[in-house]
């Protein structure tokens, strides 16, 4: 389904994921979106100590070129009892490592498994020359996170999330050129909750916010939404004596 | 993208929708799934007094054969102050009316805009001869809603939702043959919160639960998930004096 068309720059999609009741559903619908995008390589990296055959099955069935890897959160963060943990950072750094070793052109994008993407987005970001930026819908109470653009030029960031950031952008609000990234051998994402994007973009220095390429018709369109799926109860209980030898045993086994 | 292949029975997808912050995102990702399904006709029916050009644009860009209609909830229900309202019933009955007037073969399925569908599901339900049933994942605290199957035969329903129903199934858990439906000229969905599925399936009488065709490998697989998206604040406030002549005005205009 996903055709390799060599006249288009390759697009690397880095998707961190983790095991939860909604995981297979989220990866299923994201796979449908990505199946419609040509010349795409999907890097799916799970915060786990081993891969999961149910995830691999979804990836395989999609027909997309993919690499399924694992990158557990370091134990010092995993065992944190207070405050937020740096979720997805191990995963994304693993994706970045893969790109350093295997890619040389095109662009990459951090695409969480629960967001919603307009197909137009992928057509635009694959041509990123340094770092491109664009609005993300459904972000915090501010409704949107976006560069502020006036007369076609960058004037700052509109973002309802925490202050104190040089790059006040969401993880879904920017894409990076592979060759630009390769020219910054130190670039990586810090294990710093709330400052992952900011820290990663700072690690691409020299690079200033005003240098961002403004996509989505000068940031007047929403091509990605920060949709969040309601959490479901993990591990529903099942009375095995009552439902022995029924299909419910099989269903229980494929759910978290 | 969605090819008309006349060797496959047509599949009619009835999707009720309504205006909210998440609507365009939900329809966008559902459209990607449906773009991958051949010989599909998408009936999108909005609870509104007029259609919305932003919705129509998503449908048009998908390349799917579609009919975008409106069916507002009757005022006596809309103005209800106590208890749940029969959401989506007007929409689904409008879809059923359309099918009575325009379809003569294949099958139909009620597909809400926030659920997640495995592509395999569509291949299976289009061959429905009467009414087919299958498990729905992520339903209530029970984790799943499904027919109970033992030794290949129907043994009842497993469903964590309200009791007192002959057909304890979720809206996403069954599909209906068009010709079977046409042979029941009185069939429709009642404006009865919690009993919409039960009432509709009862209106297909004579039809008993044990007669359901059991899909998804005898109901041992999850091919549809009842994913629910977190609600976002409607209408974020924007200081127009501060952001005048910037892209934020355009973004504000396309959001709810």
């Amino acid at each position: 389904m996903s055709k390799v068309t060599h006249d288009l720059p390759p697009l690397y999609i880095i998707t961190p994921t983790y095991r939860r009741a909604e995981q297979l559903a989220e990866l299923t619908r994201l796979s449908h979106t990505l199946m419609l995008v040509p010349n795409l390589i999907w890097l799916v990296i799970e915060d786990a100590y081993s891969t999961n055959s149910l995830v691999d099955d979804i990836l395989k069935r999609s027909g997309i070129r993919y690499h399924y890897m694992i990158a557990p959160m370091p134990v010092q963060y995993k065992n944190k009892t207070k405050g937020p943990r740096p979720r997805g950072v191990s995963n994304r750094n693993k994706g970045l490592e893969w790109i350093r070793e295997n890619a040389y052109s095109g662009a990459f994008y951090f695409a969480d498994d629960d967001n919603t993407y307009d197909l137009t987005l992928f057509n635009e970001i694959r041509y990123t020359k340094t770092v491109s930026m664009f609005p993300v819908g459904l972000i915090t109470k501010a409704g949107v996170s976006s560069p502020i653009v006036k007369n076609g030029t960058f004037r700052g960031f509109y973002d309802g999330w925490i202050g104190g950031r040089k790059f006040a952008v969401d993880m879904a609000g920017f894409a990076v050129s592979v060759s630009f990234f390769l020219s910054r051998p130190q670039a990586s994402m810090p294990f710093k909750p709330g400052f992952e994007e900011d820290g990663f973009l700072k690690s691409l220095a020299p690079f200033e916010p005003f240098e961002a390429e403004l996509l989505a018709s000068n940031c007047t369109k929403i091509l990605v939404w920060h949709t969040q799926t309601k959490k479901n109860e993990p591990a529903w209980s099942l009375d095995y004596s009552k439902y022995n030898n029924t299909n419910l045993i099989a269903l229980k086994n494929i759910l978290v």
Side-chain angles (χ1 to χ4, degrees), chain A:
Chain A
M1 187 60 72
S2 76
K3 295 165 295 268
V4 180
T5 39
H6 290 290
D7 48 345
L8 288 176
L11 180 58
Y12 299 89
I13 299 294
I14 298 175
T15 299
T17 190
Y18 64 102
R19 191 93 178 104
R20 61 202 192 276
E22 304 77 28
Q23 183 189 30
L24 301 179
E26 301 289 35
L27 288 170
T28 295
R29 63 181 162 187
L30 177 54
S31 78
H32 298 164
T33 296
L34 300 183
M35 283 166 77
L36 296 163
V37 182
N39 212 3
L40 179 145
I41 299 94
W42 195 9
L43 308 177
V44 178
I45 305 117
E46 186 155 341
D47 180 349
Y49 292 100
S50 60
T51 57
N52 174 346
S53 64
L54 296 171
V55 168
D56 201 52
D57 186 53
I58 290 170
L59 303 179
K60 203 167 283 162
R61 288 197 294 136
S62 75
I64 296 169
R65 280 172 66 192
Y66 73 92
H67 297 274
Y68 177 29
M69 297 171 270
I70 54 166
M73 184 185 289
V75 281
Q76 68 264 41
Y77 304 114
K78 198 154 243 163
N79 296 335
K80 251 185 93 176
T81 50
K82 269 196 248 178
R85 296 187 293 176
R87 295 203 304 135
V89 175
S90 260
N91 322 38
R92 294 190 192 94
N93 278 330
K94 183 85 170 184
L96 292 176
E97 265 173 48
W98 190 96
I99 284 177
R100 275 205 200 287
E101 288 163 19
N102 297 282
Y104 55 91
S105 66
F108 67 85
Y109 178 57
F110 296 116
D112 286 357
D113 61 9
D114 54 351
N115 289 335
T116 301
Y117 308 92
D118 190 297
L119 295 174
T120 310
L121 179 71
F122 304 106
N123 292 338
E124 296 200 4
I125 61 178
R126 70 166 76 245
Y127 295 102
T128 299
K129 286 177 192 66
T130 55
V131 176
S132 57
M133 293 188 182
F134 35 87
V136 181
L138 303 178
I139 283 275
T140 72
K141 288 193 179 176
V144 72
S145 168
S146 178
I148 303 167
V149 181
K150 198 167 183 172
N151 300 328
T153 60
F154 175 86
R155 300 293 177 99
F157 293 109
Y158 182 85
D159 185 280
W161 185 231
I162 53 171
R165 293 173 297 161
K166 177 173 181 174
F167 294 93
V169 299
D170 183 75
M171 197 64 78
F174 66 94
V176 181
S177 144
V178 166
S179 63
F180 181 75
F181 172 71
L182 295 179
S183 74
R184 270 60 175 174
Q186 303 304 321
S188 74
M189 190 169 290
F191 286 89
K192 203 176 162 192
F195 291 85
E196 291 92 340
E197 299 90 341
D198 188 44
F200 173 67
L201 289 166
K202 279 176 175 169
S203 81
L204 294 172
F207 176 73
E208 294 300 317
F210 75 86
E211 298 177 277
E213 301 157 52
L214 305 170
L215 305 186
S217 304
N218 258 330
C219 297
T220 59
K221 293 197 170 142
I222 307 274
L223 301 181
V224 50
W225 291 268
H226 186 245
T227 37
Q228 293 184 285
T229 302
K230 282 188 197 161
K231 294 279 174 204
N232 289 268
E233 301 278 322
W236 42 293
S237 60
L238 184 68
D239 182 342
Y240 283 87
S241 63
K242 191 169 172 191
Y243 295 108
N244 211 5
N245 298 320
T246 74
N247 62 319
L248 291 177
I249 306 296
L251 292 175
K252 173 78 181 166
N253 289 342
I254 58 176
L255 293 166
V256 173

